[in-house]
């Protein structure tokens, strides 16, 4: 009888015995969470942690409205736009569809967070991936909002606006052609390669829009937060003096600001003001910062990996960085 009293229902096994050290486990379950919460609260008051929280929240809040815009537009394309619209708008030959899609990026007044779900939806609607990726890169870099912000950040310097437009557009088109020549379907996620999107006969278009919007926003939002956390970590851990070390060398400054754009993950609507504040760096280096940032940054890498797959994101982002830096150096060196 005594042995039976020492047995209770544990998990799904009736009569399973209690753990041997169950009193210690009981005390630990009561004490450890409180200690951890107390330590986290004290640690969270440190200035570095407060700065980390501020940067992480700022990046997330700054990008969320445009992510909402992109996922809403993606859902609307999926539910309401007939597939024949894309086949009529874009040339049949992918080599010609790439530059057309790149120029079409001007119609989306959003940041890089918005372009990823839209490009994903375009591929699902039958658009060639090379054209969709050209749109993905150009949309956050050459839309009117970004170009207007650049003109305001660099008053009296119209060549900086023109250089950003040309370098970004050329990068997007070149990357589309590179994907067309060297890209492989197996680098994309299997569910994307086999994805069926668009309106299905007999289903509510508004319900399809709601489901598509909900899926894309929740899926992309998680990766956006991860990218924001990584960007905040860099902002807090790298001292300001490091920036001044690279400002004196023209080539090192270009490479450094390009890498900085990747790590800081500033939204494309705001990066021109940050670039304008880096007065110690040459104009070409600041141009590279504004060209690379909207195409490759930590949150965008995370979004692309979650949407298209890690194999795609690693290859595509690395190649985009090289092409963007080269275009910035060539066009910036000519115009600025």
């Amino acid at each position: 009888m005594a042995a039976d009293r020492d047995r209770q229902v544990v998990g799904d096994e009736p009569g399973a015995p209690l753990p041997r050290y169950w009193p210690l486990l009981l005390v630990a379950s009561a004490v450890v969470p409180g200690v951890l919460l107390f330590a986290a609260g004290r640690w969270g008051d440190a200035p570095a942690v407060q700065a980390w929280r501020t940067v992480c929240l700022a990046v997330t809040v700054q990008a969320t409205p445009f992510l909402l815009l992109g996922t809403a537009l993606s859902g609307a394309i999926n539910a309401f736009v007939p597939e024949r619209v894309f086949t009529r708008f874009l040339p049949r030959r992918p080599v010609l569809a790439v530059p057309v899609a790149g120029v079409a990026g001007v119609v989306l007044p959003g940041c890089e967070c918005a372009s990823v779900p839209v490009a994903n939806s375009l591929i699902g609607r039958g658009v060639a991936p090379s054209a969709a990726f050209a749109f993905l890169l150009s949309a956050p870099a050459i839309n009117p909002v970004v170009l207007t912000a650049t003109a305001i950040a660099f008053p009296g310097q119209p060549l900086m606006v023109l250089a950003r437009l040309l370098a970004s557009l050329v990068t997007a088109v070149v990357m589309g052609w590179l994907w067309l020549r060297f890209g492989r379907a197996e680098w994309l996620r299997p569910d994307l390669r086999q994805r069926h999107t668009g309106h299905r006969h007999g289903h509510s278009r508004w319900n399809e829009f709601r489901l598509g919007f909900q899926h894309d926003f929740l899926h992309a939002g998680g990766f956006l937060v991860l990218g924001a956390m990584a960007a905040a970590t860099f902002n807090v851990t790298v001292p300001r003096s490091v920036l001044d070390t690279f400002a004196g060398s023209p080539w090192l400054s270009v490479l450094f600001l390009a890498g900085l754009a990747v790590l800081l993950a500033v939204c494309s609507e705001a990066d021109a003001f940050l670039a304008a504040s880096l007065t110690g760096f040459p104009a070409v280096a600041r141009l590279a910062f504004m060209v690379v940032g909207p195409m490759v940054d930590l949150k965008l890498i995370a979004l692309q990996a979650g949407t298209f797959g890690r194999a795609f994101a690693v290859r595509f982002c690395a190649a985009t960085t090289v092409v963007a830096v080269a275009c910035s150096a060539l066009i910036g060196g000519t115009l600025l």
Side-chain angles (χ1 to χ4, degrees):
M1 297 295 293
D4 292 338
R5 286 194 301 269
D6 289 337
R7 296 176 183 269
Q8 294 183 1
V9 176
V10 178
D12 295 328
E13 300 181 5
L18 290 171
R20 183 176 181 182
Y21 301 106
W22 69 267
L24 294 178
L25 294 176
L26 182 62
V27 172
S29 65
V31 174
V32 171
V35 173
L36 292 177
L37 288 175
F38 175 79
R42 294 292 299 273
W43 180 69
D45 291 334
V49 178
Q50 292 178 350
W52 185 92
R53 290 201 307 259
T54 301
V55 173
C56 182
L57 183 61
V59 172
T60 304
V61 171
Q62 186 182 53
T64 297
F66 299 103
L67 181 62
L68 281 168
L69 172 65
T71 50
L73 184 58
S74 172
I77 291 173
N78 180 60
F80 299 110
V81 179
E83 188 171 346
R84 63 179 181 272
V85 171
F86 303 105
T87 58
R88 291 178 180 177
F89 176 74
L90 293 174
R92 293 182 179 274
R93 297 181 60 186
V95 68
L96 299 178
V98 167
V100 174
V103 174
V106 75
V107 303
L108 180 63
C111 73
E112 57 273 19
C113 300
S115 65
V116 172
V118 174
N120 184 32
S121 181
L122 291 176
I123 295 175
R125 301 308 306 276
V127 174
S130 56
F133 295 148
F135 176 86
L136 181 151
L137 296 178
S138 67
I142 67 171
N143 69 72
V145 175
V146 169
L147 296 180
T148 301
T150 305
I152 295 174
F154 292 90
Q157 302 181 49
L159 288 180
M160 179 64 80
V161 181
L162 179 61
R164 180 174 193 178
L165 170 64
L166 293 178
S168 300
L169 181 58
V170 171
T171 300
V173 173
V174 169
M175 284 304 303
W177 283 335
L178 287 177
W179 176 265
L180 184 62
R181 176 64 179 84
F182 301 105
R184 298 179 181 179
E186 55 265 27
W187 292 345
L188 298 174
R189 290 173 51 186
D191 59 338
L192 179 64
R193 299 197 298 264
Q194 303 170 2
R195 184 182 180 189
H196 173 77
T197 60
H199 174 63
R200 298 181 180 181
H201 183 70
H203 291 72
S204 168
R205 291 183 182 272
W206 284 106
N207 188 55
E208 290 177 341
F209 167 76
R210 180 184 62 81
L211 293 176
F213 169 78
Q214 176 180 304
H215 174 271
D216 287 346
F217 179 75
L218 293 178
H219 185 71
F223 288 95
L224 168 63
V225 173
L226 291 177
M229 293 171 65
T233 301
F234 174 82
N235 274 270
V236 171
T237 56
V238 176
R240 188 73 179 181
S241 58
V242 175
L243 299 178
D244 301 329
T245 305
F246 294 88
S249 172
W251 286 105
L252 285 180
S253 63
V254 170
L255 297 176
F256 179 76
L257 285 193
L260 188 66
V262 175
L263 296 173
L264 289 183
V266 181
C267 189
S268 59
E269 274 76 12
D271 62 356
F273 299 97
L274 179 56
S277 69
L278 301 173
T279 55
F281 288 86
V284 177
R286 289 185 282 173
L287 174 64
F289 179 88
M290 294 186 291
V291 173
V292 173
M295 298 183 178
V296 187
D297 63 31
L298 289 178
K299 66 178 185 297
L300 184 56
I301 294 172
L303 284 169
Q304 289 187 10
T307 303
F308 302 113
R310 185 169 55 185
F312 166 84
V314 170
R315 294 172 173 84
F316 191 77
C317 290
T320 301
T321 302
V322 174
V323 174
V325 170
C327 290
S328 300
L330 292 175
I331 294 177
T334 303
L335 295 179
L336 301 179

